[in-house]
Amino acid sequence: PMGVVGLIVPWNYPMLMAAWKVAAALAAGCTIILKPSELSPYTALDMAILAVAAGLPPGVLNVVTGLGPDTGAPLSVHPDVDKIAFTGSVATGSK
């Protein structure tokens, strides 16, 4: 396992993109901080609710919502986050 992974997903195909990233991170034994687009946060929040109902231990899948500069940017540079998986524009990713 990598450790803690930050998963930043875009507004288009929000459930599909989150599911791809979350499934891979869980299969690798990682804990997850999932940051959905501020335009479509409810799919990630619903995924977290379903994960709890399915028995995923607390703290394995965490969701943070908010604007990219306020939540995505700090997540991407946090020293306790071991890996970032980002899907989005080149302009946003290079900030």
Side-chain angles (χ1 to χ4, degrees):
M2 291 294 302
V4 177
V5 296
L7 309 178
I8 301 174
V9 297
W11 61 270
N12 54 340
Y13 304 106
M15 183 58 87
L16 180 62
M17 297 300 286
W20 280 345
K21 292 179 185 299
V22 167
L26 288 176
C30 300
T31 56
I32 301 160
I33 302 170
L34 175 61
K35 192 276 184 213
S37 166
E38 62 272 13
L39 300 176
S40 56
Y42 295 110
T43 53
L45 293 169
D46 287 343
M47 178 185 283
I49 291 168
L50 292 171
V52 169
L56 197 66
V60 174
L61 174 59
N62 307 280
V63 177
V64 294
T65 61
L67 299 173
D70 298 331
T71 54
L75 177 64
S76 67
V77 297
H78 196 283
D80 291 332
V81 176
D82 301 301
K83 187 76 170 174
I84 293 289
F86 169 80
T87 302
S89 70
V90 172
T92 299
S94 62
K95 289 182 183 178

Coordinates of all heavy atoms in Angstrom, one line a residue:
P1 N 0.8 -1.2 0.0 CA 0.0 0.0 0.0 C 0.9 1.3 0.0 O 1.9 1.3 0.6 CB -0.8 -0.1 1.3 CG -0.4 -1.3 2.0 CD 0.6 -2.0 1.2
M2 N 0.4 2.3 -0.6 CA 1.0 3.6 -0.7 C 0.9 4.3 0.7 O 1.7 5.1 1.0 CB 0.5 4.5 -1.8 CG 0.8 4.0 -3.2 SD 2.5 4.1 -3.6 CE 2.9 5.8 -3.4
G3 N -0.3 4.1 1.3 CA -0.6 4.8 2.5 C -1.9 5.6 2.3 O -2.9 5.1 1.8
V4 N -1.8 6.9 2.5 CA -2.9 7.8 2.3 C -2.9 8.3 0.9 O -1.9 8.9 0.5 CB -2.9 9.0 3.3 CG1 -4.1 9.9 3.1 CG2 -3.0 8.5 4.8
V5 N -4.0 8.2 0.2 CA -4.0 8.7 -1.2 C -5.1 9.7 -1.3 O -6.2 9.6 -0.7 CB -4.2 7.6 -2.3 CG1 -3.1 6.6 -2.3 CG2 -5.5 6.8 -2.0
G6 N -4.8 10.8 -2.0 CA -5.8 11.8 -2.3 C -6.3 11.6 -3.7 O -5.6 11.5 -4.6
L7 N -7.6 11.5 -3.8 CA -8.3 11.3 -5.1 C -9.1 12.5 -5.4 O -10.1 12.9 -4.7 CB -9.2 10.1 -5.0 CG -8.5 8.8 -4.5 CD1 -9.5 7.7 -4.5 CD2 -7.3 8.4 -5.3
I8 N -8.7 13.2 -6.5 CA -9.4 14.4 -6.9 C -10.1 14.1 -8.2 O -9.5 13.8 -9.2 CB -8.5 15.6 -7.1 CG1 -7.8 15.8 -5.7 CG2 -9.2 16.8 -7.6 CD1 -6.7 16.9 -5.8
V9 N -11.5 14.2 -8.2 CA -12.2 13.8 -9.4 C -13.0 15.0 -10.0 O -13.4 15.9 -9.2 CB -13.2 12.6 -9.1 CG1 -12.4 11.4 -8.7 CG2 -14.2 13.0 -8.0
P10 N -13.3 15.0 -11.3 CA -13.9 16.1 -12.0 C -15.4 16.0 -11.9 O -16.0 15.0 -11.4 CB -13.4 15.9 -13.4 CG -13.3 14.5 -13.6 CD -12.8 13.9 -12.3
W11 N -16.1 17.0 -12.4 CA -17.5 17.1 -12.4 C -18.2 16.2 -13.4 O -19.3 15.8 -13.2 CB -18.0 18.6 -12.7 CG -17.5 19.0 -14.0 CD1 -16.4 19.7 -14.3 CD2 -18.2 18.9 -15.2 NE1 -16.3 19.9 -15.7 CE2 -17.5 19.5 -16.3 CE3 -19.5 18.3 -15.6 CZ2 -17.8 19.5 -17.6 CZ3 -19.8 18.4 -16.9 CH2 -19.0 18.9 -17.9
N12 N -17.5 15.9 -14.5 CA -18.1 15.0 -15.5 C -17.9 13.5 -15.1 O -16.8 13.2 -14.8 CB -17.7 15.4 -16.9 CG -16.2 15.3 -17.0 OD1 -15.4 15.4 -16.0 ND2 -15.7 15.2 -18.2
Y13 N -18.9 12.7 -15.2 CA -18.8 11.3 -14.8 C -18.3 11.2 -13.3 O -17.4 10.5 -13.0 CB -17.9 10.5 -15.7 CG -18.3 10.6 -17.1 CD1 -17.5 11.3 -18.0 CD2 -19.4 9.9 -17.6 CE1 -17.9 11.3 -19.4 CE2 -19.8 9.9 -18.9 CZ -19.0 10.7 -19.8 OH -19.3 10.7 -21.1
P14 N -18.9 11.9 -12.4 CA -18.4 12.0 -11.0 C -18.4 10.6 -10.3 O -17.4 10.3 -9.6 CB -19.3 13.0 -10.3 CG -20.6 13.0 -11.1 CD -20.2 12.7 -12.5
M15 N -19.5 9.8 -10.5 CA -19.5 8.5 -9.8 C -18.5 7.5 -10.4 O -17.8 6.8 -9.8 CB -20.9 7.9 -9.8 CG -21.0 6.6 -9.0 SD -20.5 6.7 -7.3 CE -22.0 7.2 -6.5
L16 N -18.5 7.5 -11.8 CA -17.6 6.6 -12.5 C -16.2 6.9 -12.1 O -15.4 6.0 -11.8 CB -17.9 6.7 -14.0 CG -17.0 5.8 -14.8 CD1 -17.3 4.3 -14.5 CD2 -17.3 6.1 -16.3
M17 N -15.8 8.1 -12.2 CA -14.4 8.5 -11.9 C -14.0 8.2 -10.5 O -12.9 7.7 -10.2 CB -14.1 10.0 -12.2 CG -14.3 10.4 -13.7 SD -13.3 9.5 -14.8 CE -11.7 10.3 -14.5
A18 N -14.9 8.5 -9.6 CA -14.6 8.2 -8.1 C -14.6 6.7 -7.9 O -13.7 6.2 -7.2 CB -15.7 8.8 -7.3
A19 N -15.5 6.0 -8.5 CA -15.5 4.5 -8.3 C -14.2 3.9 -8.9 O -13.6 3.0 -8.2 CB -16.7 3.9 -9.0
W20 N -13.7 4.3 -10.0 CA -12.4 3.8 -10.6 C -11.3 4.0 -9.6 O -10.5 3.1 -9.3 CB -12.1 4.5 -11.9 CG -12.8 4.0 -13.1 CD1 -13.5 2.8 -13.2 CD2 -12.9 4.6 -14.3 NE1 -14.0 2.7 -14.5 CE2 -13.7 3.8 -15.2 CE3 -12.4 5.8 -14.8 CZ2 -14.0 4.1 -16.5 CZ3 -12.7 6.2 -16.2 CH2 -13.5 5.3 -17.0
K21 N -11.2 5.3 -9.1 CA -10.1 5.6 -8.2 C -10.2 5.0 -6.9 O -9.2 4.5 -6.3 CB -10.0 7.1 -8.1 CG -9.6 7.8 -9.4 CD -9.5 9.3 -9.2 CE -9.3 10.1 -10.5 NZ -8.0 9.7 -11.1
V22 N -11.4 5.0 -6.3 CA -11.6 4.4 -5.0 C -11.3 2.9 -5.0 O -10.7 2.3 -4.1 CB -13.0 4.7 -4.4 CG1 -13.3 3.8 -3.2 CG2 -13.1 6.2 -4.1
A23 N -11.8 2.2 -6.0 CA -11.7 0.7 -6.1 C -10.2 0.4 -6.2 O -9.7 -0.5 -5.5 CB -12.4 0.2 -7.4
A24 N -9.4 1.1 -7.0 CA -8.0 0.8 -7.2 C -7.2 1.1 -5.8 O -6.4 0.3 -5.4 CB -7.4 1.7 -8.3
A25 N -7.6 2.2 -5.2 CA -6.9 2.5 -3.9 C -7.2 1.5 -2.8 O -6.4 1.0 -2.1 CB -7.3 3.9 -3.5
L26 N -8.5 1.1 -2.8 CA -8.9 0.1 -1.8 C -8.2 -1.3 -2.1 O -7.7 -2.0 -1.2 CB -10.4 -0.1 -1.7 CG -11.2 1.0 -1.1 CD1 -12.7 0.7 -1.3 CD2 -10.8 1.2 0.3
A27 N -8.2 -1.7 -3.3 CA -7.5 -2.9 -3.7 C -6.1 -2.9 -3.4 O -5.5 -4.0 -3.0 CB -7.7 -3.2 -5.2
A28 N -5.4 -1.7 -3.4 CA -4.0 -1.6 -3.0 C -3.8 -1.5 -1.5 O -2.7 -1.5 -1.1 CB -3.4 -0.4 -3.7
G29 N -4.9 -1.4 -0.8 CA -4.8 -1.4 0.7 C -4.6 0.0 1.3 O -4.0 0.2 2.4
C30 N -4.9 1.0 0.5 CA -4.7 2.4 0.9 C -5.9 3.0 1.6 O -7.0 2.5 1.4 CB -4.4 3.3 -0.3 SG -3.0 2.7 -1.2
T31 N -5.7 4.0 2.4 CA -6.8 4.8 2.9 C -6.9 6.0 2.0 O -6.0 6.4 1.3 CB -6.5 5.3 4.4 OG1 -5.3 6.0 4.4 CG2 -6.5 4.2 5.3
I32 N -8.1 6.6 2.0 CA -8.5 7.5 0.9 C -9.1 8.8 1.4 O -9.9 8.8 2.3 CB -9.6 6.8 0.0 CG1 -9.0 5.5 -0.6 CG2 -10.1 7.8 -1.1 CD1 -10.1 4.6 -1.1
I33 N -8.7 9.9 0.8 CA -9.3 11.2 0.9 C -9.8 11.5 -0.5 O -9.0 11.7 -1.4 CB -8.4 12.3 1.4 CG1 -7.8 11.8 2.8 CG2 -9.1 13.6 1.6 CD1 -6.7 12.7 3.3
L34 N -11.1 11.5 -0.6 CA -11.8 11.8 -1.9 C -12.3 13.2 -2.0 O -13.1 13.6 -1.1 CB -12.9 10.8 -2.1 CG -13.8 10.9 -3.4 CD1 -12.9 10.8 -4.6 CD2 -14.9 9.9 -3.3
K35 N -11.8 14.0 -3.0 CA -12.2 15.3 -3.1 C -13.0 15.4 -4.5 O -12.4 15.4 -5.5 CB -11.0 16.3 -3.1 CG -11.4 17.8 -3.0 CD -11.7 18.3 -4.3 CE -12.0 19.8 -4.3 NZ -13.0 20.1 -5.3
P36 N -14.3 15.5 -4.4 CA -15.1 15.6 -5.7 C -15.1 17.1 -6.1 O -14.8 18.0 -5.4 CB -16.5 15.2 -5.2 CG -16.6 15.6 -3.8 CD -15.2 15.4 -3.2
S37 N -15.5 17.3 -7.4 CA -15.7 18.6 -7.9 C -16.8 19.3 -7.0 O -17.8 18.7 -6.5 CB -16.2 18.5 -9.3 OG -16.7 19.8 -9.7
E38 N -16.6 20.6 -6.8 CA -17.6 21.4 -6.1 C -18.9 21.4 -6.9 O -20.0 21.8 -6.3 CB -17.1 22.8 -5.8 CG -16.8 23.6 -7.1 CD -15.4 23.5 -7.6 OE1 -14.7 22.5 -7.2 OE2 -15.0 24.3 -8.5
L39 N -18.9 21.1 -8.2 CA -20.2 21.1 -8.9 C -21.0 19.8 -8.8 O -22.1 19.7 -9.2 CB -19.8 21.3 -10.4 CG -19.1 22.6 -10.8 CD1 -18.7 22.6 -12.3 CD2 -19.9 23.7 -10.4
S40 N -20.3 18.7 -8.3 CA -21.0 17.4 -8.1 C -20.6 16.7 -6.9 O -20.1 15.6 -7.0 CB -20.8 16.6 -9.4 OG -19.4 16.4 -9.6
P41 N -20.7 17.3 -5.7 CA -20.2 16.6 -4.5 C -21.1 15.5 -4.0 O -20.6 14.6 -3.2 CB -20.1 17.7 -3.5 CG -21.3 18.6 -3.9 CD -21.3 18.6 -5.4
Y42 N -22.3 15.4 -4.3 CA -23.2 14.5 -3.7 C -23.0 13.0 -4.1 O -23.2 12.1 -3.3 CB -24.7 14.9 -3.9 CG -25.0 16.2 -3.3 CD1 -25.3 17.3 -4.0 CD2 -25.1 16.3 -1.9 CE1 -25.5 18.5 -3.4 CE2 -25.4 17.5 -1.3 CZ -25.6 18.6 -2.1 OH -25.9 19.8 -1.5
T43 N -22.4 12.8 -5.2 CA -22.2 11.4 -5.6 C -21.1 10.8 -4.7 O -21.2 9.7 -4.3 CB -21.7 11.3 -7.1 OG1 -20.6 12.2 -7.3 CG2 -22.8 11.6 -8.0
A44 N -20.0 11.6 -4.4 CA -19.0 11.1 -3.5 C -19.5 10.9 -2.1 O -19.2 10.0 -1.4 CB -17.8 12.1 -3.5
L45 N -20.4 11.9 -1.6 CA -20.9 11.7 -0.3 C -21.8 10.5 -0.2 O -21.8 9.8 0.8 CB -21.7 13.0 0.1 CG -20.8 14.2 0.2 CD1 -21.7 15.5 0.3 CD2 -19.9 14.1 1.4
D46 N -22.6 10.3 -1.3 CA -23.5 9.1 -1.3 C -22.6 7.8 -1.3 O -22.9 6.8 -0.7 CB -24.4 9.1 -2.5 CG -25.5 10.0 -2.4 OD1 -25.8 10.5 -1.3 OD2 -26.2 10.4 -3.4
M47 N -21.5 7.8 -2.1 CA -20.6 6.7 -2.1 C -20.0 6.4 -0.7 O -20.0 5.2 -0.3 CB -19.4 6.9 -3.0 CG -18.4 5.8 -3.1 SD -17.0 6.1 -4.1 CE -17.6 5.9 -5.7
A48 N -19.7 7.4 0.0 CA -19.2 7.2 1.4 C -20.3 6.6 2.3 O -20.0 5.7 3.1 CB -18.7 8.5 2.0
I49 N -21.5 7.1 2.2 CA -22.6 6.5 2.9 C -22.8 5.0 2.6 O -23.0 4.2 3.5 CB -23.9 7.3 2.7 CG1 -23.8 8.7 3.3 CG2 -25.1 6.5 3.2 CD1 -24.9 9.6 2.9
L50 N -22.7 4.7 1.3 CA -22.9 3.3 0.9 C -21.7 2.4 1.4 O -21.9 1.3 1.8 CB -23.0 3.2 -0.6 CG -24.2 3.7 -1.2 CD1 -24.1 3.8 -2.7 CD2 -25.4 2.9 -0.8
A51 N -20.5 3.0 1.5 CA -19.3 2.3 2.0 C -19.5 2.0 3.4 O -19.1 0.9 3.9 CB -18.1 3.1 1.7
V52 N -20.0 2.9 4.2 CA -20.2 2.7 5.6 C -21.3 1.6 5.8 O -21.1 0.7 6.6 CB -20.6 4.0 6.3 CG1 -21.2 3.7 7.8 CG2 -19.5 4.9 6.4
A53 N -22.3 1.7 5.0 CA -23.4 0.7 5.1 C -22.9 -0.7 4.7 O -23.4 -1.7 5.2 CB -24.6 1.1 4.2
A54 N -21.9 -0.8 3.8 CA -21.3 -2.1 3.4 C -20.3 -2.6 4.4 O -19.8 -3.7 4.2 CB -20.7 -1.9 2.0
G55 N -20.0 -1.8 5.4 CA -19.0 -2.3 6.4 C -17.6 -1.8 6.3 O -16.7 -2.3 7.0
L56 N -17.3 -0.9 5.4 CA -16.0 -0.3 5.3 C -15.6 0.4 6.6 O -16.4 1.1 7.2 CB -15.9 0.7 4.2 CG -14.5 1.0 3.7 CD1 -13.8 -0.2 3.0 CD2 -14.6 2.2 2.7
P57 N -14.5 0.1 7.2 CA -14.1 0.6 8.5 C -14.0 2.2 8.5 O -13.7 2.7 7.5 CB -12.8 0.0 8.8 CG -12.7 -1.2 8.0 CD -13.5 -0.9 6.8
P58 N -14.4 2.8 9.6 CA -14.3 4.3 9.7 C -12.8 4.7 9.4 O -11.9 4.1 9.8 CB -14.6 4.6 11.1 CG -15.4 3.4 11.6 CD -14.9 2.2 10.8
G59 N -12.7 5.8 8.6 CA -11.4 6.4 8.3 C -10.8 5.8 7.1 O -9.7 6.3 6.7
V60 N -11.4 4.8 6.5 CA -10.8 4.2 5.2 C -11.1 5.1 4.0 O -10.3 5.4 3.2 CB -11.2 2.8 5.0 CG1 -10.7 2.2 3.7 CG2 -10.6 1.9 6.2
L61 N -12.4 5.5 3.9 CA -12.8 6.4 2.9 C -13.3 7.7 3.5 O -14.3 7.7 4.2 CB -13.9 5.7 2.0 CG -14.6 6.6 0.9 CD1 -13.6 7.1 -0.1 CD2 -15.7 5.8 0.3
N62 N -12.6 8.8 3.2 CA -13.0 10.1 3.7 C -13.3 11.0 2.5 O -12.6 11.0 1.5 CB -11.8 10.6 4.5 CG -11.4 9.7 5.6 OD1 -12.0 9.6 6.6 ND2 -10.3 8.9 5.3
V63 N -14.3 11.8 2.7 CA -14.7 12.8 1.6 C -14.6 14.2 2.1 O -15.0 14.5 3.2 CB -16.1 12.5 1.1 CG1 -16.5 13.5 0.1 CG2 -16.3 11.1 0.6
V64 N -13.9 15.0 1.4 CA -13.8 16.5 1.7 C -14.4 17.2 0.5 O -14.1 16.8 -0.7 CB -12.4 16.9 2.0 CG1 -11.8 16.3 3.2 CG2 -11.4 16.7 0.8
T65 N -15.2 18.2 0.7 CA -15.8 18.9 -0.4 C -15.4 20.4 -0.3 O -15.0 20.9 0.8 CB -17.4 18.8 -0.3 OG1 -17.8 19.4 1.0 CG2 -17.8 17.4 -0.4
G66 N -15.5 21.1 -1.4 CA -15.2 22.5 -1.4 C -14.6 22.9 -2.7 O -14.4 22.0 -3.6
L67 N -14.2 24.1 -2.8 CA -13.6 24.6 -4.0 C -12.2 24.1 -4.2 O -11.5 23.8 -3.2 CB -13.6 26.2 -4.0 CG -15.0 26.8 -3.9 CD1 -14.8 28.3 -3.7 CD2 -15.8 26.5 -5.2
G68 N -11.7 24.0 -5.4 CA -10.4 23.5 -5.7 C -9.3 24.2 -4.9 O -8.5 23.5 -4.3
P69 N -9.2 25.5 -5.0 CA -8.2 26.2 -4.3 C -8.2 26.0 -2.8 O -7.2 26.1 -2.1 CB -8.4 27.7 -4.7 CG -9.1 27.6 -5.9 CD -10.0 26.4 -5.8
D70 N -9.4 25.8 -2.2 CA -9.6 25.7 -0.8 C -9.4 24.3 -0.2 O -9.0 24.1 0.9 CB -11.0 26.2 -0.4 CG -11.2 27.7 -0.7 OD1 -10.2 28.4 -0.7 OD2 -12.4 28.0 -0.9
T71 N -9.7 23.3 -1.1 CA -9.6 21.9 -0.6 C -8.6 21.0 -1.4 O -7.8 20.3 -0.9 CB -11.0 21.2 -0.5 OG1 -11.6 21.3 -1.8 CG2 -11.8 21.8 0.6
G72 N -8.7 21.1 -2.7 CA -7.9 20.3 -3.6 C -6.4 20.7 -3.5 O -5.6 19.8 -3.5
A73 N -6.1 22.0 -3.6 CA -4.8 22.4 -3.5 C -4.1 22.0 -2.2 O -3.0 21.5 -2.2 CB -4.7 23.9 -3.8
P74 N -4.7 22.3 -1.1 CA -4.0 21.9 0.2 C -3.9 20.3 0.3 O -2.9 19.8 0.8 CB -5.0 22.4 1.3 CG -5.7 23.5 0.7 CD -5.9 23.1 -0.8
L75 N -4.9 19.6 -0.2 CA -4.8 18.2 -0.2 C -3.6 17.7 -1.0 O -2.8 16.8 -0.6 CB -6.1 17.5 -0.8 CG -6.1 16.0 -1.0 CD1 -6.0 15.3 0.4 CD2 -7.4 15.6 -1.7
S76 N -3.3 18.3 -2.2 CA -2.3 17.9 -3.1 C -0.9 18.2 -2.5 O 0.1 17.6 -3.0 CB -2.4 18.5 -4.4 OG -2.2 19.9 -4.4
V77 N -0.7 19.1 -1.6 CA 0.6 19.4 -1.0 C 0.7 18.9 0.5 O 1.8 19.2 1.1 CB 0.9 20.9 -1.2 CG1 1.0 21.3 -2.6 CG2 -0.1 21.7 -0.4
H78 N -0.3 18.3 1.0 CA -0.2 17.9 2.4 C 0.9 16.8 2.6 O 0.9 15.9 1.9 CB -1.6 17.4 2.9 CG -1.7 17.3 4.4 ND1 -1.1 16.4 5.1 CD2 -2.3 18.2 5.2 CE1 -1.4 16.6 6.4 NE2 -2.1 17.7 6.5
P79 N 1.7 17.0 3.7 CA 2.8 16.1 3.9 C 2.4 14.7 4.3 O 3.1 13.7 4.1 CB 3.6 16.7 5.0 CG 2.7 17.7 5.7 CD 1.7 18.1 4.6
D80 N 1.1 14.5 4.8 CA 0.7 13.2 5.2 C 0.0 12.4 4.1 O -0.5 11.3 4.3 CB -0.3 13.3 6.4 CG 0.5 13.7 7.7 OD1 1.7 13.4 7.8 OD2 -0.1 14.3 8.5
V81 N -0.2 13.1 2.9 CA -0.8 12.4 1.8 C 0.4 11.9 0.9 O 1.2 12.6 0.5 CB -1.7 13.4 0.9 CG1 -2.2 12.7 -0.3 CG2 -2.8 13.9 1.8
D82 N 0.3 10.5 0.7 CA 1.5 9.9 0.1 C 1.4 9.8 -1.5 O 2.4 9.7 -2.2 CB 1.6 8.4 0.6 CG 1.8 8.4 2.1 OD1 2.8 9.0 2.5 OD2 1.0 7.8 2.8
K83 N 0.1 9.9 -2.0 CA -0.1 9.8 -3.4 C -1.3 10.7 -3.8 O -2.3 10.7 -3.1 CB -0.3 8.4 -3.8 CG -0.3 8.1 -5.3 CD 1.1 8.1 -5.9 CE 1.0 7.6 -7.3 NZ 2.3 7.8 -7.9
I84 N -1.2 11.3 -5.0 CA -2.4 12.0 -5.5 C -2.8 11.4 -6.8 O -1.9 11.2 -7.7 CB -2.1 13.5 -5.7 CG1 -1.9 14.2 -4.4 CG2 -3.2 14.2 -6.5 CD1 -3.1 14.4 -3.5
A85 N -4.1 11.2 -7.0 CA -4.6 10.8 -8.3 C -5.6 11.9 -8.7 O -6.6 12.1 -8.1 CB -5.3 9.4 -8.2
F86 N -5.2 12.6 -9.7 CA -6.0 13.8 -10.2 C -6.5 13.6 -11.6 O -5.7 13.2 -12.5 CB -5.1 15.0 -10.1 CG -5.7 16.3 -10.8 CD1 -6.6 17.0 -10.2 CD2 -5.3 16.6 -12.1 CE1 -7.2 18.1 -10.8 CE2 -5.8 17.7 -12.7 CZ -6.7 18.5 -12.0
T87 N -7.7 13.9 -11.8 CA -8.3 13.9 -13.2 C -8.9 15.3 -13.3 O -9.8 15.7 -12.6 CB -9.3 12.8 -13.4 OG1 -8.8 11.5 -13.2 CG2 -9.9 12.9 -14.8
G88 N -8.4 16.0 -14.3 CA -8.9 17.4 -14.6 C -8.0 18.0 -15.6 O -7.2 17.4 -16.3
S89 N -8.2 19.3 -15.7 CA -7.5 20.1 -16.8 C -6.0 20.2 -16.5 O -5.6 20.2 -15.3 CB -8.1 21.4 -17.0 OG -7.9 22.3 -15.9
V90 N -5.2 20.4 -17.5 CA -3.8 20.7 -17.3 C -3.6 22.0 -16.5 O -2.7 22.1 -15.7 CB -3.1 20.7 -18.7 CG1 -1.6 21.2 -18.5 CG2 -3.1 19.4 -19.4
A91 N -4.4 23.0 -16.8 CA -4.3 24.3 -16.2 C -4.5 24.1 -14.7 O -3.8 24.7 -13.8 CB -5.3 25.3 -16.8
T92 N -5.5 23.4 -14.3 CA -5.8 23.2 -12.9 C -4.7 22.3 -12.2 O -4.3 22.6 -11.1 CB -7.2 22.5 -12.7 OG1 -8.2 23.4 -13.2 CG2 -7.5 22.3 -11.2
G93 N -4.3 21.3 -12.9 CA -3.3 20.4 -12.3 C -1.9 21.0 -12.2 O -1.2 20.6 -11.3
S94 N -1.6 22.0 -12.9 CA -0.3 22.6 -12.8 C -0.2 23.7 -11.8 O 0.8 24.3 -11.5 CB 0.1 23.1 -14.2 OG -0.8 24.1 -14.6
K95 N -1.3 24.0 -11.2 CA -1.3 25.1 -10.1 C -0.7 24.6 -8.9 O -0.8 23.5 -8.5 CB -2.8 25.6 -9.9 CG -3.3 26.4 -11.0 CD -4.7 26.8 -10.7 CE -5.3 27.6 -11.9 NZ -6.7 28.0 -11.6

